[in-house]
Amino acid sequence: MAFQVSPGVLVQEKDLTNIVPAVSTSIGAYAFNSTRGPVGEITLISNEQELVSVFGKPTKDNFEEYFTASSFLQYSNALKVVRTENTGIKNAVTNSGTALLIKNGNDYNTAYLASGAYTGISGIEFVARNAGAYGNGLSVSVCPSATAYEVKGVTTVNDSAVAAGDTQITVTSGTNIGVGDIIAFSSSAGTDDYDDGQEYEVTAVATNDLTIKRRTGSGGLTRIITNGANVRRRWKYYDQVSGAPGTSPDVSAAGGSGDEMHIVVVDSDGTINGTSGEVLEKFENVSKASDAKDAQGSNNFYPEVIFKKSSLIYWGDHNSNGTNWGNAKANTTFTDVTAPISLTFTGGVDGTASDGVRKTAFELFQDGETVDVSLIMAGNASATLIGDLITIAETRKDCVVFASPQRADVVGIASAITQTNNVLDFFNGIRSSSYVVFDSGYKYMYDRYNDVFRYVPLNGDMAGLTARTDLTNDSWFSPAGLNRGIIRGASKVAYNPNKTQRDELYRARINPVVSFPGQGIVLFGDKTGLTTPSAFDRINVRRLFITLEKAISTASKFQLFEFNDEFTRANFRNIVEPFLREIQGRRGITDFLVVCDETNNTGEVIDRNEFVAEIFIKPARSINFITLSFVATRTGVSFDEVAG
């Protein structure tokens, strides 16, 4: 405290209202092999529609992984997803260039657009934004000038033998007409009177011979074309934009000209949206000038616009004929490329997923200080990968892994005895930990995207039940049983253990998932993967302590760099004890004791700049066994005599 030199009143405040903050306990974490979406980057997904929109629909190769995520989203609206960086994965590129991997937007921005450097990818005009084969279904068409948009009288008809229905016509010169162009003919020789209702798409050009088809409908020419009639050529997608590109007001004001262009992204073969030739994205009147602005003052340079607005492509390099594209706008007359630029994408490869690839993806969740997750789903994982995920959870100490046996252990096996032995053998190979939860198998569910039924691992549902329990009750309630453990979206399970088999599984720390007639498919156990008999061999106790530790440790950060004296220690107790009483009132604990005084904060502790608090907890226990004793007595016997 500063000393006052002259008399006066000094007003100070001391805040003793600190409380233990609420913490998240129901955020899922998952890494899987998808057909699209950012690679090696955490994306928050709130529902299945978003999952499909970002990462694509399930395929025959990834449905297990996909439906693990979608199963979780049936119970919760918070899932953090990472797309795995498969071995050999590549983005599709144009110009028949060499495919490369651009993992995500940050990767692209750092390598090619950082600080306005626009280094580009030499010789490749565009790159598919989604790594993998998905990008091979794209094409791009660029209208770089007003001339490329439309030319009247580009050539004349040189064919006197034209009949209605013909699909070929000869012109004076086919040099300025390309495949995909839209052409129309003047109504009579030497006029500019074009009938806009009669347009044709050029499908092939052989010198001066054009192969055409009616743009709408089917067939060839609708009428006889007069020899010598003028031909008008238009860009194939001219009716998708507001008009021909020209000079933007911003560039014109700086003394430049010819900077505008149109770009459309097309579903070339119907694999993207289901309709071949459908325009998926369009960018009108974007600029070739690196410093151009639009009417709202935003950057209008076409690589930047595409980066910010496209979900399908990245800019790669300027067209080879656009020799000054990318220059500053001042006094620049931008190169007039007079023909549309048509580009197809090739070279996209999905790559091969492996345990190592998935482990790397899951490791993005390992920093508990920067990534908030609570429930890690293993999907269809090997014992080795499950062990790696347990290590992540144990390092973080604030989340739990959910794991299922492998498909071959339970699916397609007629003998329940064999299934039991397979499941036991699989999980016996995984080390003991209270930070993992094992289930007994796979559910059978309908894949509406492919109109088939699939077997899917149950760990997405286990994590989902846990998340839903957090939302409807609290994290210290068990997610199992007929009240909170009903599985959604399942018609049956691959392995339905009977009572004897359930006993074997439970002794081996495996939670059975059971189909009860008339009651549904139910998670019928709440053990963790801990082999040692302990309070922590139950899900609810492990997650109770995760909640307590996460919340109290967060609150404790406010004690850092304060003095270790009775004032600070009393303040800590006043923060923690009301929080624990609240948890006790919500049935999470039966009793507690907080010790934070001179007995555990000795002089030696204080001199080491440490602060010690001991928090003793008696956790509430879930009921796993019910004993009902029915006693028959003689009529004349008093219940007081026998009840004791």
Side-chain angles (χ1 to χ4, degrees):
M1 181 185 295
F3 292 99
Q4 296 190 83
V5 177
S6 62
V9 177
L10 178 64
V11 178
Q12 292 186 316
E13 291 183 351
K14 183 71 174 180
D15 188 1
L16 299 178
T17 63
N18 302 79
I19 60 172
V20 176
V23 294
S24 61
T25 59
S26 56
I27 301 175
Y30 192 52
F32 81 117
N33 173 33
S34 68
T35 58
R36 53 194 269 206
V39 174
E41 182 177 82
I42 297 173
T43 303
L44 180 62
I45 301 295
S46 60
N47 54 57
E48 188 172 352
Q49 289 72 31
E50 285 185 9
L51 184 69
V52 171
S53 175
V54 177
F55 295 102
K57 298 176 182 179
T59 68
K60 62 180 179 62
D61 298 317
N62 76 347
F63 68 87
E64 288 181 333
E65 296 174 333
Y66 174 88
F67 284 112
T68 297
S70 74
S71 292
F72 177 84
L73 291 168
Q74 292 186 76
Y75 310 90
S76 174
N77 61 356
L79 175 63
K80 293 182 178 179
V81 179
V82 175
R83 182 186 178 189
T84 57
E85 186 180 338
N86 295 350
T87 303
I89 189 172
K90 300 292 183 183
N91 301 63
V93 298
T94 60
N95 296 4
S96 301
T98 302
L100 72 167
L101 174 62
I102 300 176
K103 294 189 286 186
N104 50 56
N106 287 332
D107 188 15
Y108 174 79
N109 189 48
T110 300
Y112 306 114
L113 290 187
S115 303
Y118 308 110
T119 55
I121 305 160
S122 181
I124 299 174
E125 288 190 38
F126 297 100
V127 179
R129 198 169 187 118
N130 293 279
Y134 177 84
N136 295 334
L138 296 173
S139 63
V140 168
S141 184
V142 180
C143 180
S145 65
T147 306
Y149 180 86
E150 180 183 75
V151 177
K152 294 181 178 179
V154 62
T155 187
T156 57
V157 175
N158 186 29
D159 193 342
S160 59
V162 180
D166 283 358
T167 57
Q168 275 198 318
I169 192 166
T170 302
V171 294
T172 305
S173 173
T175 304
N176 296 316
I177 298 178
V179 174
D181 285 346
I182 305 300
I183 63 173
F185 304 99
S186 59
S187 53
S188 60
T191 72
D192 254 356
D193 183 19
Y194 300 97
D195 183 353
D196 289 344
Q198 306 297 331
E199 293 187 323
Y200 306 90
E201 181 179 344
V202 178
T203 60
V205 179
T207 311
N208 298 333
D209 295 326
L210 310 180
T211 302
I212 61 176
K213 68 176 183 179
R214 204 174 300 172
R215 194 183 186 198
T216 58
S218 60
L221 295 170
T222 59
R223 67 183 193 281
I224 298 173
I225 304 299
T226 305
N227 193 38
N230 284 331
V231 180
R232 182 193 68 200
R233 180 199 57 76
R234 280 177 169 170
W235 179 43
K236 182 176 182 178
Y237 303 100
Y238 78 90
D239 55 355
Q240 294 285 328
V241 296
S242 56
T247 302
S248 66
D250 178 62
V251 171
S252 177
S257 63
D259 68 301
E260 289 185 335
M261 62 197 306
H262 303 317
I263 301 171
V264 298
V265 185
V266 180
D267 186 346
S268 59
D269 57 8
T271 59
I272 306 296
N273 238 30
T275 304
S276 178
E278 181 179 354
V279 173
L280 303 172
E281 294 179 339
K282 59 184 177 182
F283 307 96
E284 295 187 54
N285 296 315
V286 291
S287 180
K288 304 160 190 164
S290 61
D291 55 350
K293 304 292 184 182
D294 62 17
Q296 289 73 45
S298 299
N299 192 329
N300 197 37
F301 186 36
Y302 78 100
E304 284 280 2
V305 174
I306 288 171
F307 176 61
K308 292 177 181 177
K309 296 184 177 181
S310 178
S311 63
L312 297 171
I313 63 171
Y314 294 121
W315 167 76
D317 195 6
H318 302 303
N319 182 263
S320 58
N321 294 317
T323 54
N324 63 355
W325 293 10
N327 286 4
K329 61 191 174 186
N331 302 314
T332 300
T333 300
F334 289 93
T335 306
D336 186 18
V337 178
T338 59
I341 301 166
S342 298
L343 303 164
T344 58
F345 287 78
T346 60
V349 180
D350 288 333
T352 305
S354 65
D355 274 5
V357 163
R358 292 193 69 197
K359 178 187 177 185
T360 300
F362 274 111
E363 285 174 346
L364 293 176
F365 298 112
Q366 64 186 358
D367 187 354
E369 287 191 334
T370 59
V371 183
D372 188 12
V373 296
S374 316
L375 313 164
I376 300 176
M377 291 159 282
N380 182 19
S382 67
T384 301
L385 180 57
I386 293 170
D388 293 332
L389 300 183
I390 293 172
T391 299
I392 292 174
E394 289 179 337
T395 302
R396 290 179 56 108
K397 297 188 180 303
D398 66 351
C399 60
V400 176
V401 176
F402 295 83
S404 306
Q406 297 202 297
R407 164 179 285 269
D409 294 333
V410 294
V411 176
I413 298 175
S415 170
I417 296 174
T418 303
Q419 291 175 314
T420 303
N421 292 333
N422 289 346
V423 173
L424 290 171
D425 289 344
F426 179 75
F427 286 122
N428 283 338
I430 300 175
R431 62 184 174 86
S432 170
S433 175
S434 68
Y435 289 92
V436 66
V437 175
F438 303 138
D439 66 70
S440 62
Y442 277 60
K443 70 177 183 180
Y444 197 56
M445 62 169 292
Y446 178 63
D447 174 0
R448 60 189 176 92
Y449 302 102
N450 298 290
D451 193 27
V452 294
F453 280 86
R454 311 272 201 190
Y455 278 109
V456 178
L458 278 161
N459 57 80
D461 292 88
M462 302 302 101
L465 289 172
T466 305
R468 189 181 64 181
T469 298
D470 292 357
L471 298 174
T472 59
N473 298 89
D474 279 302
S475 60
W476 47 85
F477 281 75
S478 171
L482 293 171
N483 290 325
R484 292 180 293 275
I486 301 295
I487 304 297
R488 295 177 174 177
S491 60
K492 62 180 180 180
V493 286
Y495 169 41
N496 190 30
N498 60 29
K499 179 63 169 68
T500 301
Q501 293 155 356
R502 296 200 298 270
D503 290 346
E504 290 187 74
L505 296 174
Y506 219 49
R507 282 192 293 268
R509 29 175 211 148
I510 302 164
N511 299 295
V513 177
V514 188
S515 180
F516 291 117
Q519 296 176 318
I521 297 172
V522 186
L523 171 61
F524 218 59
D526 62 356
K527 278 198 172 185
T528 66
L530 188 68
T531 56
T532 307
S534 162
F536 292 104
D537 69 3
R538 306 293 159 161
I539 301 170
N540 61 302
V541 176
R542 164 44 65 208
R543 300 198 71 243
L544 164 70
F545 273 78
I546 285 175
T547 302
L548 298 181
E549 292 164 6
K550 188 175 182 179
I552 294 174
S553 64
T554 300
S556 299
K557 291 180 181 179
F558 293 95
Q559 311 306 317
L560 288 169
F561 310 109
E562 300 296 328
F563 294 117
N564 190 344
D565 55 18
E566 180 52 31
F567 182 89
T568 300
R569 295 191 288 268
N571 188 39
F572 176 81
R573 294 193 301 271
N574 289 335
I575 293 172
V576 174
E577 288 176 346
F579 172 69
L580 293 176
R581 280 194 292 271
E582 182 185 358
I583 302 298
Q584 186 177 21
R586 289 158 55 186
R587 304 171 66 194
I589 60 181
T590 59
D591 202 2
F592 68 89
L593 174 66
V594 180
V595 180
C596 182
D597 53 29
E598 67 280 356
T599 64
N600 51 1
N601 288 273
T602 62
E604 290 80 5
V605 170
I606 294 172
D607 288 345
R608 293 197 302 267
N609 301 101
E610 296 177 8
F611 180 89
V612 176
E614 294 172 286
I615 302 171
F616 299 85
I617 301 293
K618 292 181 181 179
R621 306 295 186 97
S622 66
I623 298 170
N624 272 209
F625 312 100
I626 296 176
T627 301
L628 303 175
S629 298
F630 295 85
V631 181
T633 69
R634 298 190 305 275
T635 302
V637 174
S638 169
F639 289 137
D640 292 336
E641 296 177 13
V642 296

